[in-house]
Amino acid sequence: MSEFLEGLLGERLVNSEKAEVDVSSLGSRVSLLGLFFGCSLNAPCQQFNGSLCEFYSRFKKSSEHREQLEVVFISSDQEQKHWQDFLQQMPWPALPFKERHKKMKLWNKYKITSIPSLVFVDAASGKVVCRNGLLVVRDDPKGLEFPWGPKPFAEVVTGPLLRNNRQTTDSSSLEGHYVGVYFSAHWCPPCRSLTRVLVESYRTVKESGQKFEIVFVSADRSEDSFKQYFSEMPWLAVPYSDEARRSRLNRLYGIQGIPTLILLDTEGHVITRQGRVEVLNDPECHHFPWHPRPVMELSESNAVQLHEGPCLVLFVDAEEEGELEPAKELIRPIAEKLLAKYKAKEEETPLLFFVAGEDDMSDSLRDYTNLPEAAPLLTILDMSARAKYVRDVEEITPAVVEQFVGDFLGEKLKPEPI
């Protein structure tokens, strides 16, 4: 276990007393690790840190599992003094300030898109146990549900569900259905835009004879807003008054922002967390139930995924529909192999794959990342780390792509700044 933790965090952490903490000593006792991603200059991080300190202190004093849990602070501070001052408030250790590269690896590995974030991971394997630790601190202040592992969707959603005609149905009616778990709110403009599209997609899928249902999990600020918004929806909803169930669903899927649409298969397993992108990219629902595609064509609707971790983008000279297919076929085997490898480990792939033709979206991306105009051009873009890797060769072959991906994952490539 200690070898894994050392690979994840390094050999040494530091604490508020500027003393080093031996990571191998954690490995001998800790079974669950809380990774706290934050920044001293962020007011919500400051506020959450106070709540986490209370939670941590209570857990260490009264829980029978006190020795099995540790928290590590992963800072995004740019100034060492700010980081040091914030660390003074914490009873747990932190990744050393200078370990910027390791910090970015952790951000990418655990798909952190906002702060504060608290992710609980298994200390022996690094697998995510609970993605939304903020809700654990709020909903289980005494730590009675330790280790906060994921429960089956059917168990978490158990109870009555509403229809907008005020009738109710039991959650057991979802059995045997593909299910979209829709986290949304009326006050959020992107949510309302997506809802309009999703209503049409829902009807298209239902009319095709597929067993499909959507469950709305509201983030509205009042029951009146919920009722107004839900009146536009032809599917089911968790009652607004059942805040505990809504919170458990948010916790189960680690929701960090809305709108989010999680697609589940008929057994309740996650097909994709990118339902929003899939619905917007496939208005005719040809690809339902939207299993992840190994290679995507870069578009305005899926460009948001460029910010969720490292992405391989192959730029090619293609303006007409269908001209991107040869490029997709070239990199598909490498993408499928990587996807299968990490799926077998029950982990998310560390690299997404895109092809980009000649259009405004690609031009904007080239300009933003200061890439050369060459085509074809093989790149890996890591937006969160503001880093790029470029392989500019005359001919791009599967062997070239595979070598490039292997070198990146093996940390053999030198990044250029974006």
Side-chain angles (χ1 to χ4, degrees):
M1 185 188 297
S2 60
E3 286 184 11
F4 170 77
L5 283 182
E6 286 177 19
L8 189 73
L9 302 172
E11 295 182 0
R12 301 282 187 274
L13 302 173
V14 294
N15 61 24
S16 58
E17 299 171 354
K18 299 183 181 179
E20 291 189 343
V21 177
D22 191 344
V23 171
S24 63
S25 68
L26 297 182
S28 63
R29 63 177 176 83
V30 172
S31 63
L32 191 71
L33 191 66
L35 299 175
F36 172 25
F37 296 85
C39 175
S40 66
L41 302 181
N42 179 281
C45 289
Q46 287 276 3
Q47 184 176 6
F48 176 68
N49 185 63
S51 300
L52 183 57
C53 283
E54 291 179 14
F55 174 87
Y56 182 88
S57 176
R58 189 183 302 114
F59 189 89
K60 289 294 185 180
K61 286 179 182 177
S62 60
S63 174
E64 62 180 299
H65 305 290
R66 62 177 67 88
E67 292 300 317
Q68 296 173 251
L69 173 69
E70 191 52 88
V71 173
V72 176
F73 178 47
I74 315 296
S75 172
S76 52
D77 281 294
Q78 300 300 308
E79 298 289 336
Q80 186 161 0
K81 185 178 187 308
H82 294 154
W83 168 79
Q84 187 66 53
D85 289 346
F86 200 22
L87 185 56
Q88 293 297 312
Q89 305 172 28
M90 301 176 182
W92 48 78
L95 206 64
F97 179 78
K98 64 182 179 181
E99 294 282 5
R100 295 181 183 272
H101 177 65
K102 201 167 286 293
K103 291 175 191 177
M104 292 315 308
K105 281 186 64 179
L106 288 166
W107 270 71
N108 287 334
K109 180 177 178 66
Y110 294 110
K111 310 290 186 186
I112 303 302
T113 57
S114 63
I115 55 173
S117 282
L118 177 63
V119 180
F120 289 111
V121 303
D122 182 272
S125 66
K127 290 182 180 178
V128 174
V129 173
C130 176
R131 192 174 293 277
N132 199 332
L134 277 68
L135 291 180
V136 168
V137 171
R138 190 191 76 180
D139 297 345
D140 185 24
K142 295 183 180 180
L144 301 178
E145 298 177 35
F146 178 89
W148 311 294
K151 297 177 180 178
F153 168 73
E155 180 180 334
V156 177
V157 80
T158 294
L161 298 171
L162 299 179
R163 295 194 182 278
N164 62 16
N165 60 5
R166 298 187 180 180
Q167 293 183 339
T168 63
T169 184
D170 191 77
S171 59
S172 60
S173 66
L174 299 173
E175 291 178 10
H177 286 66
Y178 291 103
V179 176
V181 191
Y182 184 35
F183 299 86
S184 186
H186 187 261
W187 54 260
C188 163
C191 293
R192 295 199 302 274
S193 296
L194 178 60
T195 296
R196 287 191 289 271
V197 178
L198 188 55
V199 166
E200 296 306 315
S201 297
Y202 176 80
R203 288 174 175 154
T204 298
V205 173
K206 296 281 277 189
E207 288 169 5
S208 74
Q210 298 265 21
K211 285 191 170 185
F212 179 47
E213 194 50 85
I214 293 176
V215 177
F216 170 42
V217 184
S218 174
D220 287 295
R221 293 165 178 163
S222 71
E223 184 146 14
D224 286 343
S225 294
F226 162 76
K227 288 178 179 176
Q228 179 185 349
Y229 193 28
F230 185 44
S231 69
E232 305 168 12
M233 302 176 183
W235 45 73
L236 304 173
V238 175
Y240 186 80
S241 59
D242 196 342
E243 186 176 351
R245 193 164 25 145
R246 290 191 289 124
S247 183
R248 287 195 297 270
L249 285 162
N250 272 271
R251 198 165 97 196
L252 177 63
Y253 296 114
I255 303 304
Q256 296 181 327
I258 55 173
T260 295
L261 177 64
I262 309 286
L263 269 300
L264 309 179
D265 66 17
T266 55
E267 301 297 319
H269 302 131
V270 174
I271 294 174
T272 179
R273 300 176 59 85
Q274 298 295 335
R276 176 190 183 185
V277 170
E278 296 294 344
V279 166
L280 293 176
N281 272 352
D282 184 25
E284 304 298 322
C285 303
H286 293 310
H287 299 289
F288 179 85
W290 300 302
H291 288 279
R293 280 166 281 172
V295 184
M296 294 169 279
E297 294 183 17
L298 187 65
S299 67
E300 286 191 20
S301 58
N302 64 26
V304 64
Q305 291 180 264
L306 293 173
H307 296 273
E308 295 180 358
C311 298
L312 181 144
V313 184
L314 174 57
F315 293 88
V316 294
D317 185 7
E319 298 181 14
E320 302 297 326
E321 187 175 347
E323 290 184 342
L324 291 175
E325 284 305 315
K328 289 167 69 175
E329 290 304 316
L330 187 148
I331 62 177
R332 189 188 309 278
I334 296 100
E336 288 177 338
K337 183 178 177 182
L338 195 66
L339 199 64
K341 176 182 176 181
Y342 281 85
K343 184 177 181 180
K345 297 196 293 184
E346 298 182 351
E347 295 180 15
E348 294 187 46
T349 179
L351 193 63
L352 298 178
F353 291 77
F354 292 87
V355 294
E358 291 190 351
D359 53 29
D360 291 343
M361 181 70 238
S362 297
D363 290 344
S364 296
L365 182 58
R366 283 183 186 266
D367 289 344
Y368 178 74
T369 55
N370 195 27
L371 289 170
E373 290 298 321
L377 183 68
L378 185 61
T379 69
I380 291 175
L381 305 177
D382 188 348
M383 297 299 201
S384 58
R386 298 192 63 80
K388 63 185 177 186
Y389 307 82
V390 181
R391 183 63 53 89
D392 189 0
V393 295
E394 286 189 14
E395 183 181 6
I396 295 176
T397 65
V400 168
V401 177
E402 191 155 21
Q403 181 72 46
F404 187 49
V405 169
D407 287 347
F408 171 75
L409 296 177
E411 299 185 29
K412 298 176 182 178
L413 302 177
K414 184 177 180 180
E416 301 175 45
I418 290 179

